[in-house]
Amino acid sequence: MAHTVAVIVGSLRKESFSLKIANAFTKIAAPSLKLEIVTLHGLSFFNQDLEATPPADWVAFREKIQKSDAVLFVTPEYNRSIPGVLKNAIDVGSRPSGKSSFLGKPIGIVGSSPGPLGGVCAAMNLKQILPGYSGPILQQPEIYLNGVGDAFDDKGNLVKEALEKVLKTYIDAFAAWVDRLKK
Ligand SMILES: Cc1cc2nc3c(=O)[nH]c(=O)nc-3n(C[C@H](O)[C@H](O)[C@H](O)COP(=O)(O)O)c2cc1C
């Protein structure tokens, strides 16, 4: 049976490379993974005052994560960390206290950048934030995608063969790991 993976994209940008990478994963992943892209448009800011009557968009976001077998974060780096929208989504998903929607979910982390460092700080930041509120995080292979600026054509198709190989290696390892954990 296929495992459902919520692929959370850490950028709201229309032409986001992170979104294009997430879409590329959907095309190359083995059939044992059903990848569902989750974008963060319209997710309200976390506010503890709203916890008793959570906004509908929080509830919908939490349900998407809860229904998934695993979660894959595909994120850029903003100022050596993760974008605020992604931190907000983690805050929303991590509550109510003790009932994080990420609990028990195997987690994959993919950092990227058009620059040379491949989003490594953002990925490391996620590894610091998530353990208290999630399931296990895939440690190897690590994946930090640099130079993604010329990897896609104007329709958003992945045209950089070397990058496709790296993505395929990662998503196959993630699929095998999720399969082992969720058997
Ligand atoms: C506010 C801001 C901060 C950024 N900080 C970094 C950074 O620390 N490291 C980096 O490699 N790129 C940084 N960038 C460049 C982003 O990697 C680049 O804009 C990328 O395309 C954003 O991801 P997206 O294409 O998925 O929207 C930053 C961009 C913005 C807008």
Side-chain angles (χ1 to χ4, degrees), residues 99-164:
K99 293 187 178 160
S100 165
S101 299
F102 300 106
L103 276 181
K105 312 285 177 193
I107 304 285
I109 295 174
V110 178
S112 79
S113 174
L117 299 180
V120 64
C121 296
M124 288 303 169
N125 218 221
L126 278 176
K127 288 185 181 181
Q128 187 185 15
I129 293 167
L130 287 169
Y133 311 98
S134 76
I137 299 171
L138 179 62
Q139 300 294 341
Q140 286 99 30
E142 295 180 287
I143 181 166
Y144 312 115
L145 306 170
N146 61 11
V148 296
D150 61 357
F152 299 91
D153 67 16
D154 54 8
K155 294 195 174 77
N157 299 308
L158 180 56
V159 291
K160 209 172 182 179
E161 213 173 296
L163 179 61
E164 182 166 347

Side-chain angles (χ1 to χ4, degrees), residues 40-149:
L40 302 174
H41 302 88
L43 188 66
S44 311
F45 274 132
F46 181 77
N47 175 347
Q48 232 177 325
D49 289 339
L50 306 181
E51 286 207 282
T53 49
D57 58 87
W58 290 8
V59 175
F61 176 74
R62 288 168 178 166
E63 279 175 3
K64 270 186 211 160
I65 306 304
Q66 286 160 17
K67 277 194 212 142
S68 306
D69 296 306
V71 177
L72 181 62
F73 290 92
V74 181
T75 186
E77 178 171 301
Y78 276 6
N79 298 319
R80 299 293 180 262
S81 183
I82 57 172
V85 287
L86 182 54
K87 180 60 167 59
N88 183 57
I90 292 169
D91 292 342
V92 169
S94 70
R95 302 289 289 189
S97 180
K99 293 187 178 160
S100 165
S101 299
F102 300 106
L103 276 181
K105 312 285 177 193
I107 304 285
I109 295 174
V110 178
S112 79
S113 174
L117 299 180
V120 64
C121 296
M124 288 303 169
N125 218 221
L126 278 176
K127 288 185 181 181
Q128 187 185 15
I129 293 167
L130 287 169
Y133 311 98
S134 76
I137 299 171
L138 179 62
Q139 300 294 341
Q140 286 99 30
E142 295 180 287
I143 181 166
Y144 312 115
L145 306 170
N146 61 11
V148 296

Side-chain angles (χ1 to χ4, degrees), residues 11 13 15-19 76-80 112-115 119:
S11 169
R13 203 166 71 86
E15 292 297 325
S16 162
F17 297 120
S18 313
L19 178 60
E77 178 171 301
Y78 276 6
N79 298 319
R80 299 293 180 262
S112 79
S113 174

